[in-house]
Amino acid sequence: MTFPIDKLQTIRTPFYYYDTELLDATLRAIKSETDKHAGYHLHYAVKACANPKVLRHITAAGMGADCVSGGEIEACLKAGFPADEIVFAGVGKCDWEIELGLKVGIQYFNVESIPELEVINEIAGRMNKVAQVSFRINPNVDAHTHSNITTGLAENKFGIAMEDMEKIIRLADSLPNVNFVGLHFHIGSQILDMDNFVALSHRINELQDRLEAEGITEVKNINVGGGLGIDYENPDGHPIPDFKAYFDTYAKHLKLRPGQHLHFELGRAVVGQCGSLVTRCLYVKQGSTKKFVIVDAGMTELIRPALYNAYHKVENLTSKAPAETYDVVGPICESSDTFVKDYQMPGTQRGDLLAIRSAGAYGEIMASQYNCRPIPTGYVSEDNTSTFKTQHVDF
Ligand SMILES: *Cc1c(COP(=O)(O)O)cnc(C)c1O
């Protein structure tokens, strides 16, 4: 991504900045790969980033949306996503969220349990509607990713156990206000080894064979969720993920039935690299053995390092001084409020502008008000300087 430094210097830090040229290039790369395969369609996973300006670029590229809450459905409708391009997952959907989905006419619900199916049937009945339902099956595929973001193992809270698949499909057939339209899977996040998607494909092939043997042949959609990772170590080397390898893996290994659609729910891979958290160095503090760069952003703006021990590259946008070694830390009253440790970076001083890279996904949307901090603003490349909140401190 590119940084218009003069422009960014005038904005009050910390803030999120999205390079929408890179976002659009990423969206074009996805489109050119999915267009090569009949019936492939992407529902962007809104939970990665729901910034309204980012959402508008994604809907303009013709993608649908994958939502996990009523609030996300509302954000998508506001950004211009057609309701019938929205799918809705989540283990704990509230009644009002189900009602909202039915009222606006979403494409389908990704249902995660038998009690949820019964409640959707009841609410749809009350509203004189038929809910389109797809079942999230837990494929017991280990994505070998961080324990907090692996979702496909048998003991996970997500999805329906494989052994209950036929039971829930037959139950749906017996209920008047739900219509079974597909199977849904999602095995985890930040997955870079394509073997994981191969394993998922093989599992889906087995399950489809099993259904056919049971006489269940009408499965309109297969939805394989998301999970494709990005290069956090080298964002400039790999600004756009290898979508060709990703989609070709499914094309090669997943046996779709004639006319069957394949849905994807990528989040991180779509928006991760186009966003940075821009922050300023407040102080450089010499500790007894280390030097700390204390910045004005913290775990309240980007929680991934504290929550998942995640690495984000930190770039000093304004210094070309010889490298030194620092811990880059935030101002929050928690020791885990550290971005990087023992990190080589150009000599840094008070007032320098720093970019915490690859923060477009699970960044701005996870911001909190802990310590009574304001939620950061997100800007995009095309934003007019007159809308900037200006720097309140003169460095
Ligand atoms: C989080 C999530 C996604 C997106 O995951 P990424 O790793 O960001 O691609 C897709 N589908 C479901 C059901 C999810 O929970």
Side-chain angles (χ1 to χ4, degrees):
M1 68 180 280
T2 52
F3 297 93
I5 293 169
D6 289 347
K7 211 162 120 176
L8 300 183
Q9 283 281 19
T10 65
I11 308 176
R12 177 166 153 183
T13 48
F15 60 90
Y16 273 89
Y17 178 70
Y18 301 94
D19 177 344
T20 48
E21 269 180 45
L22 177 56
L23 173 59
D24 289 341
T26 307
L27 294 167
R28 283 194 300 275
I30 293 171
K31 181 135 196 342
S32 84
E33 290 305 323
T34 48
D35 281 354
K36 290 179 189 163
H37 308 282
Y40 281 27
H41 188 69
L42 191 108
H43 293 96
Y44 164 66
V46 178
K47 79 173 194 280
C49 175
N51 182 293
K53 295 170 215 165
V54 169
L55 289 183
R56 266 179 236 127
H57 279 262
I58 296 171
T59 179
M63 282 161 201
D66 159 42
C67 294
V68 293
S69 74
E72 286 189 358
I73 294 175
E74 282 163 352
C76 285
L77 293 173
K78 218 167 157 185
F81 284 90
D84 63 2
E85 287 285 328
I86 296 173
V87 299
F88 181 16
V91 280
K93 300 178 186 76
C94 299
D95 291 15
W96 74 266
E97 296 178 306
I98 294 168
E99 282 163 17
L100 175 67
L102 287 166
K103 189 176 112 206
V104 303
I106 62 166
Q107 191 174 8
Y108 56 82
F109 291 84
N110 284 316
V111 173
E112 307 214 13
S113 67
I114 286 175
E116 182 194 333
L117 179 68
E118 290 168 342
V119 169
I120 292 177
N121 178 64
E122 190 189 310
I123 294 175
R126 213 193 297 139
M127 294 172 74
N128 269 322
K129 297 204 184 252
V130 174
Q132 309 301 313
V133 295
S134 173
F135 297 126
R136 177 168 180 175
I137 306 296
N138 201 326
N140 199 18
V141 170
D142 187 356
H144 299 291
T145 178
H146 189 279
S147 61
N148 287 3
I149 52 177
T150 188
T151 58
L153 286 175
E155 70 272 24
N156 215 281
K157 75 169 177 177
F158 299 102
I160 295 154
M162 283 184 284
E163 59 266 29
D164 293 334
M165 177 176 66
E166 286 87 353
K167 186 172 154 199
I168 196 165
I169 294 172
R170 301 224 187 273
L171 176 62
D173 284 344
S174 75
L175 296 173
N177 293 90
V178 292
N179 179 36
F180 168 63
V181 295
L183 298 176
H184 176 231
F185 305 86
H186 175 68
I187 55 171
S189 204
Q190 186 51 22
I191 298 167
L192 290 166
D193 182 350
M194 294 300 131
D195 287 350
N196 294 293
F197 302 121
V198 173
L200 175 61
S201 300
H202 290 160
R203 181 52 52 81
I204 296 171
N205 294 340
E206 281 166 36
L207 293 174
Q208 292 228 82
D209 290 345
R210 212 172 93 183
L211 287 182
E212 275 178 2
E214 293 276 332
I216 299 168
T217 51
E218 264 304 297
V219 185
K220 199 171 152 208
N221 309 304
I222 298 293
N223 181 331
V224 290
L228 178 63
I230 61 170
D231 190 345
Y232 284 97
E233 304 282 334
N234 186 8
D236 293 319
H238 298 113
I240 298 180
D242 190 350
F243 292 114
K244 179 169 165 44
Y246 175 73
F247 292 112
D248 285 355
T249 297
Y250 282 107
K252 182 160 174 219
H253 297 278
L254 183 66
K255 290 187 220 139
L256 287 182
R257 302 321 195 228
Q260 205 167 43
H261 292 254
L262 185 57
H263 291 178
F264 299 87
E265 299 173 338
L266 295 175
R268 188 190 309 269
V270 181
V271 293
Q273 295 291 34
C274 77
S276 285
L277 172 60
V278 181
T279 181
R280 223 172 257 280
C281 170
L282 293 171
Y283 310 105
V284 180
K285 172 165 142 176
Q286 179 67 60
S288 51
T289 58
K290 300 181 148 211
K291 259 189 183 173
F292 295 95
V293 166
I294 302 169
V295 296
D296 62 6
M299 62 190 283
T300 40
E301 286 71 42
L302 180 65
I303 202 174
R304 299 189 66 259
L307 189 60
Y308 309 121
N309 214 3
Y311 170 76
H312 287 262
K313 192 175 166 184
V314 179
E315 189 176 338
N316 188 324
L317 298 174
T318 51
S319 167
K320 292 203 162 47
E324 293 191 48
T325 303
Y326 302 105
D327 281 13
V328 179
V329 302
I332 308 302
C333 306
E334 301 282 342
S335 306
S336 58
D337 185 32
T338 295
F339 288 112
V340 282
K341 282 187 176 161
D342 303 317
Y343 190 74
Q344 290 257 318
M345 198 167 63
T348 298
Q349 33 177 322
R350 173 171 166 82
D352 283 356
L353 205 59
L354 276 63
I356 301 177
R357 302 289 309 274
S358 312
Y362 308 105
E364 183 184 0
I365 194 67
M366 284 181 132
S368 83
Q369 297 178 46
Y370 183 44
N371 287 192
C372 287
R373 297 192 27 112
I375 295 290
T377 305
Y379 297 98
V380 294
S381 323
E382 64 270 26
D383 272 337
N384 189 310
T385 47
S386 68
T387 66
F388 290 173
K389 283 186 196 136
T390 48
Q391 191 69 35
H392 60 308
V393 179
D394 230 356
F395 282 97

